[in-house]
């Protein structure tokens, strides 16, 4: 679907939380948007007179609060339909139970699953996802373009020597990403990356090969790392090193590298990450469901390592709800000890501006002049009204997708009060159901 743009929009709302470096919280607020980017944001009484008198189309959001659209730092959208196939609490058992399904995906499965995922994310206030797949790399961009969502879409190479249920995929990923990168070269909502699946599923040559190719595709290299104790034991057995040490030895830990999970890491690993400048995506619900442990996020942040939040797949999470993810990140941080708890603002930024930084998407993630107008309007209620502290508390511990009122991506309304604006949800669901009636699960 072609991008539809309102050239000038003025959003008037009760409050705006910016998630910028100063964490501004404005009351009786207004935001001016021009050509898909934020031009001015602040208290209405401080707005320049020339803007108030200019011909901006007003969107009345009184009774609502604006914040940046949520960013899902890690997902596998093409696996959506297999939700609930396995709820095993052991990672290895879970992976083995899923393999017959995830290894048999065809193009139509990928497309239908991507459509389901995009619908759910937009309705839950997520405006951007970093999406990883082993097959059909880049195809998520089609679903995102149709619905008006933003994405960083890519593929994770694996080695058949180590992934017996898989098949060689490096060449298909490389080819597919080049095709989709060219297809969307004029659409800055769609960006792409090349990655490797994991240290346990890739040879050293494959990891290094994928890392070098990633420089041609985009500005990030992504790999699952240090997710389980079994992975740690396997990599030590193969290499004599822990996973983080092994990746550093291969020379692929740099500021462009994003490590997914980082649960089973120690102080030496954190030293390496700090020195390398690599970033981390924390997936607390997935880690909890599979019994993998809790990432030491506070320790990473204290060392200047950037950390974002992600849901992981529908198979290891069973939802794509970033509000749930924020709350779980808060709760599990406290299980590590009171001194390891994360502040509410830190948690909200991990799903907005900090996640954008991790993904190399620094033109989104906060509501400030020059940034893309990816905006979430929520409609919570509190008997005392809202200040910054009360609002952040509600985002972390109270909110859910039912409180999402309106979503804008690049200044375009893509969701409004229960309706996906750019796609027909009823027709799309019917098409998906028809597709899966022909399959036996």
């Amino acid at each position: 679907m072609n991008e539809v743009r309102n050239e000038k929009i003025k959003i008037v709302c009760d409050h705006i939380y910016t998630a910028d470096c100063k964490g501004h919280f404005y009351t009786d607020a207004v935001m001016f948007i021009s050509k898909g980017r934020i031009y001015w944001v602040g208290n209405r009484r401080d707005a320049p007179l020339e803007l108030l008198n200019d011909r901006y189309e007003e969107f009345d959001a009184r009774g609502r609060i604006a914040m940046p659209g949520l960013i899902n730092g890690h997902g596998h959208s093409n696996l959506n339909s297999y939700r609930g196939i396995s709820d095993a609490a052991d990672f290895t058992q879970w992976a083995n139970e899923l393999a017959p399904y995830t290894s048999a995906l065809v193009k139509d499965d990928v497309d239908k699953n991507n459509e389901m995922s995009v619908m759910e994310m937009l309705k839950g206030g997520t405006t951007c996802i970093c999406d990883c797949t082993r097959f059909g790399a880049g195809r998520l961009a089609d679903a995102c373009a149709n619905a008006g969502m933003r994405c960083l879409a890519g593929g994770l190479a694996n080695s058949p020597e180590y992934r017996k249920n898989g098949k060689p995929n490096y060449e298909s990923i490389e080819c597919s990403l080049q095709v989709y990168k060219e297809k969307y070269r004029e659409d800055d909502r769609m960006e792409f990356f090349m990655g490797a699946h994991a240290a346990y599923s890739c040879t050293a040559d494959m990891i290094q090969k994928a890392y070098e190719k990633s420089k041609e595709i985009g500005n990030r290299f992504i790999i699952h790392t240090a997710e389980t104790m079994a992975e740690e034991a396997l990599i030590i057995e193969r290499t004599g090193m822990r996973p983080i040490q092994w990746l550093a030895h291969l020379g692929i830990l740099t500021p462009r590298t994003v490590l997914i999970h980082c649960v089973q890491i120690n102080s030496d690993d954190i030293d390496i990450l700090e020195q390398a400048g690599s970033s981390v995506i924390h997936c607390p619900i997935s880690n909890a469901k599979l019994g993998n442990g809790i990432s030491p996020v506070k320790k990473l942040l204290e060392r200047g390592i950037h950390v974002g939040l992600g849901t992981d797949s529908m198979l290891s999470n069973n939802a794509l709800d970033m509000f749930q993810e924020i709350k779980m990140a808060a709760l599990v941080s406290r299980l590590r000890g009171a001194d390891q708890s994360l502040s509410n603002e830190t948690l909200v930024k991990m799903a907005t501006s900090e996640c954008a930084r991790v993904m190399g998407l620094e033109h989104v993630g906060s509501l400030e002049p020059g940034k893309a107008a990816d905006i979430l309007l929520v409609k919570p209620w509190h008997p005392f009204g809202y200040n910054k502290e009360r609002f952040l508390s509600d985002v972390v511990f109270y909110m859910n997708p039912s409180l999402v009122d309106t979503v804008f991506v690049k200044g375009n309304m893509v969701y409004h009060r229960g309706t996906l604006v750019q796609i027909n949800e009823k027709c799309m669901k019917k098409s998906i159901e028809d597709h899966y009636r022909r399959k036996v699960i």
Side-chain angles (χ1 to χ4, degrees):
M1 181 174 187
N2 292 330
E3 194 177 348
V4 179
R5 177 181 297 161
N6 296 318
E7 290 294 322
K8 288 186 171 184
I9 305 171
K10 175 176 65 176
I11 298 177
V12 178
C13 52
D14 284 4
H15 305 282
I16 296 175
Y17 172 68
T18 62
D20 62 4
C21 61
K22 294 185 178 179
H24 289 106
F25 186 80
Y26 298 111
T27 297
D28 186 18
V30 63
M31 183 170 7
F32 293 88
I33 300 164
S34 178
K35 296 182 179 180
R37 291 192 176 267
I38 297 168
Y39 187 77
W40 192 92
V41 59
N43 297 314
R44 200 151 44 137
R45 67 174 181 271
D46 298 327
L49 190 60
E50 61 269 23
L51 290 179
L52 293 171
N53 293 333
D54 203 347
R55 294 182 178 178
Y56 279 81
E57 177 185 348
E58 181 169 321
F59 183 82
D60 185 355
R62 281 170 287 196
R64 283 153 281 177
I65 301 175
M67 63 179 290
L70 301 172
I71 299 174
N72 187 343
H74 181 62
H76 301 273
S77 295
N78 67 324
L79 302 178
N80 188 305
S81 62
Y82 296 116
R83 180 180 80 236
I85 288 292
S86 174
D87 288 328
D90 174 76
F91 179 89
T92 303
Q93 177 188 349
W94 170 83
N96 289 337
E97 290 176 357
L98 294 172
Y101 302 95
T102 59
S103 297
L105 291 169
V106 298
K107 178 178 72 68
D108 285 346
D109 295 324
V110 170
D111 291 342
K112 298 304 182 187
N113 288 338
N114 285 340
E115 290 169 356
M116 283 189 282
S117 296
V118 167
M119 284 192 291
E120 178 168 345
M121 285 187 285
L122 283 178
K123 291 163 70 175
T126 295
T127 53
C128 178
I129 184 174
C130 176
D131 194 73
C132 305
T133 183
R134 285 180 286 142
F135 303 104
R139 297 188 71 87
L140 179 73
D142 287 339
C144 286
N146 287 336
M149 190 171 163
R150 188 184 299 276
C151 70
L152 174 61
L156 302 180
N158 56 242
S159 299
E161 301 97 312
Y162 290 150
R163 193 155 191 150
K164 302 300 183 183
N165 290 317
K167 52 188 175 182
N169 68 347
Y170 175 87
E171 287 75 16
S172 68
I173 288 174
E174 178 188 7
C175 179
S176 186
L177 288 176
Q178 295 290 7
V179 168
Y180 277 90
K181 187 175 180 181
E182 174 62 22
K183 181 177 182 179
Y184 289 103
R185 61 189 171 88
E186 300 297 328
D187 189 340
D188 63 5
R189 296 171 302 173
M190 312 302 158
E191 299 193 33
F192 302 92
F193 74 90
M194 177 82 169
H197 181 262
Y200 66 83
S201 58
C202 296
T203 63
D205 287 346
M206 179 58 74
I207 292 171
Q208 292 173 320
K209 183 179 180 181
Y211 179 81
E212 289 304 314
K213 178 57 65 174
S214 74
K215 297 175 183 177
E216 299 176 22
I217 302 297
N219 65 1
R220 285 297 182 265
F221 173 77
I222 296 174
I223 184 168
H224 298 93
T225 307
E227 185 174 3
T228 71
M229 293 179 69
E231 173 191 344
E232 178 184 300
L234 179 62
I235 300 305
I236 291 174
E237 180 183 345
R238 284 182 189 167
T239 70
M241 304 180 201
R242 295 167 55 81
I244 297 292
Q245 295 171 324
W246 173 237
L247 296 180
H249 174 74
L250 296 180
I252 62 93
L253 292 187
T254 68
R256 62 195 313 277
T257 301
V258 179
L259 306 172
I260 310 300
H261 298 303
C262 285
V263 174
Q264 301 299 333
I265 58 175
N266 62 20
S267 59
D268 292 337
D269 297 326
I270 294 174
D271 289 342
I272 292 170
L273 294 178
E274 179 185 17
Q275 184 173 1
S278 299
S279 300
V280 173
I281 290 293
H282 178 38
C283 304
I285 294 179
S286 173
N287 298 152
K289 178 182 176 181
L290 299 176
N292 291 331
I294 304 169
S295 177
V297 172
K298 183 73 171 291
K299 292 180 179 179
L300 293 169
L301 294 173
E302 287 173 342
R303 301 289 288 276
I305 298 163
H306 296 292
V307 182
L309 279 176
T311 60
D312 211 342
S313 78
M314 277 292 215
L315 309 181
S316 62
N317 183 310
N318 299 44
L320 298 172
D321 181 351
M322 286 300 294
F323 288 110
Q324 280 190 13
E325 213 66 43
I326 293 169
K327 183 172 183 176
M328 180 63 88
L331 299 177
V332 299
S333 74
R334 298 176 182 208
L335 292 178
R336 293 190 66 92
D339 64 331
Q340 294 301 301
S341 66
L342 301 171
S343 74
N344 290 341
E345 185 155 32
T346 293
L347 289 155
V348 174
K349 286 186 175 183
M350 284 170 60
T352 53
S353 52
E354 275 300 293
C355 201
R357 184 193 298 268
V358 170
M359 293 295 107
L361 304 174
E362 296 191 49
H363 57 294
V364 298
S366 59
L367 303 182
E368 53 187 316
K371 295 289 185 80
D374 292 6
I375 302 160
L376 168 58
L377 294 174
V378 292
K379 49 179 182 181
W381 177 83
H382 196 290
F384 299 160
Y386 281 102
N387 56 22
K388 178 180 175 178
E389 290 72 25
R390 197 170 293 130
F391 174 68
L392 292 174
S393 175
D394 268 9
V395 174
V396 174
F397 293 108
Y398 171 72
M399 287 193 197
N400 60 67
S402 72
L403 296 175
V404 172
D405 181 86
T406 307
V407 178
F408 293 85
V409 176
K410 201 178 176 182
N412 297 311
M413 185 190 296
V414 294
Y415 177 79
H416 183 58
R417 297 183 182 175
T419 300
L420 292 161
V421 175
Q422 296 189 17
I423 56 176
N424 187 316
E425 181 179 0
K426 184 177 180 179
C427 289
M428 187 168 284
K429 284 183 174 179
K430 176 67 164 55
S431 173
I432 293 167
E433 288 169 357
D434 289 345
H435 171 73
Y436 280 104
R437 282 196 187 98
R438 298 188 291 270
K439 288 179 170 285
V440 178
I441 299 298

